[in-house]
Amino acid sequence: MKKTKTIHRCTVLARCHLTPSMVRLTVGGPSLIGLVPRPAQDIEVLLTDARGSRIKRRYTIRNARPQVGEWDVDAFLHADGGPGSAWAASARPGSAVELVGPRGKLELRAADGHLFVGDEASMPAIAALVEALPAGQEATAVVETGSPADRVPVGAGRVHWIERGDRLPGDPQLLLAAVARELRVRKFEQVYILTEAHIAGAIRDLVRDAGIGSDHVFAKGYWTADRRPVTSGDAA
Ligand SMILES: Cc1cc2nc3c(=O)[nH]c(=O)nc-3n(C[C@H](O)[C@H](O)[C@H](O)COP(=O)(O)OP(=O)(O)OC[C@H]3O[C@@H](n4cnc5c(N)ncnc54)[C@H](O)[C@@H]3O)c2cc1C
């Protein structure tokens, strides 16, 4: 039998900018009280597109305060502005929002060396995972952002920031080169690849070629380049 997902009917309680292109929204509601998400679990925000169809967009639970039923999500306001980004840009304290969660299979595993690879969309997840590492487990992060102004601290002992500059988001070259360099100079037992979907596949292959078994690699497309947003002109 299909499991019914609980829809949390929440309110946006607070909003602040972490960078010019990253907004932190605090959402709260009575059904969140007592829920304790695992590090980097996420929510599906339930939205309506320009055609009136129900759609979902996923955002990491960056912080949870189970006693009061509040979750923080950090949303990147990307230049192509799909419905998720539009929701985050327009949400204000008092706005209603429906969401499902906590969800997601990502789990930290004990390891001597962790490598996290990501971009703006996965900085919240990387920060939450690094924060949850037991003392003594080393974390290295390779993170691509448009410019230094888009960086949000991810907490890893070693962070290799990459500046995309004029390249388009979704271009794999800089991340691939940076990860190849890390794999040459350091040993990693556990690798988390949280990037654009095609880039995640290419980096997973690179990591596998470096001899790290698939049991030790978590690769997930956090977004897909060229997903065409539905505009009101598409409405039938
Ligand atoms: C498990 C999980 C957790 C996530 N957590 C977060 C989070 O905490 N914060 C966060 O900001 N995002 C997060 N994401 C990514 C977010 O869900 C996607 O970026 C999503 O596509 C945004 O939806 P949208 O409606 O704005 O754009 P879409 O309608 O999906 O896409 C429209 C256009 O925007 C472009 N686009 C979409 N996302 C990006 C991006 N990140 N960078 C550049 N271009 C983009 C696409 O190429 C497409 O052309 C997460 C994704 C997953 C799977």
Side-chain angles (χ1 to χ4, degrees):
M1 195 195 299
K2 207 174 167 197
K3 213 171 138 193
T4 319
K5 292 178 182 171
T6 303
I7 297 180
H8 304 292
R9 295 179 209 291
C10 294
T11 306
V12 176
L13 301 174
R15 163 197 178 86
C16 67
H17 272 271
L18 302 182
T19 71
S21 58
M22 181 73 94
V23 66
R24 170 163 294 176
L25 297 170
T26 301
V27 298
S31 60
L32 304 190
I33 292 173
L35 295 181
V36 183
R38 288 199 317 275
Q41 276 199 301
D42 62 280
I43 56 172
E44 280 174 351
V45 179
L46 308 181
L47 299 167
T48 305
D49 71 12
R51 268 200 294 247
S53 306
R54 293 291 270 169
I55 55 161
K56 305 161 189 171
R57 291 292 186 267
R58 293 174 70 174
Y59 290 93
T60 303
I61 303 166
R62 176 64 185 91
N63 304 301
R65 291 175 290 282
Q67 304 87 335
V68 289
E70 292 181 6
W71 291 347
D72 296 332
V73 296
D74 298 346
F76 176 50
L77 309 176
H78 59 86
D80 280 340
S85 170
W87 165 72
S90 64
R92 292 288 180 278
S95 308
V97 59
E98 291 186 344
L99 48 98
V100 170
R103 46 153 304 145
K105 300 191 180 81
L106 177 46
E107 271 186 62
L108 271 177
R109 296 213 182 147
D112 275 343
H114 299 260
L115 173 64
F116 299 89
V117 185
D119 58 22
E120 293 94 338
S122 56
M123 288 187 297
I126 294 173
L129 291 165
V130 171
E131 241 169 54
L133 283 178
Q137 296 194 13
E138 285 199 358
T140 299
V142 176
V143 184
E144 181 183 287
T145 65
S147 80
D150 298 317
R151 296 173 188 168
V152 174
V154 291
R158 265 186 305 269
V159 187
H160 182 163
W161 292 104
I162 301 168
E163 188 176 340
R164 186 180 307 120
D166 291 337
R167 289 172 184 258
L168 287 178
D171 179 332
Q173 296 309 326
L174 296 178
L175 266 177
L176 275 170
V179 172
R181 203 173 317 127
E182 286 298 331
L183 293 170
R184 273 197 305 275
V185 297
R186 266 178 264 283
K187 286 258 172 288
F188 298 104
E189 277 187 13
Q190 199 66 42
V191 182
Y192 310 83
I193 306 161
L194 317 175
T195 61
E196 191 280 330
H198 300 95
I199 299 180
I203 296 178
R204 190 188 49 218
D205 293 346
L206 189 71
V207 167
R208 198 175 290 157
D209 292 349
I212 301 175
S214 51
D215 282 1
H216 298 274
V217 180
F218 181 92
K220 170 91 189 147
Y222 265 42
W223 58 282
T224 306
D226 298 329
R227 173 144 88 169
R228 190 169 157 262
V230 172
T231 64
S232 49
D234 294 335

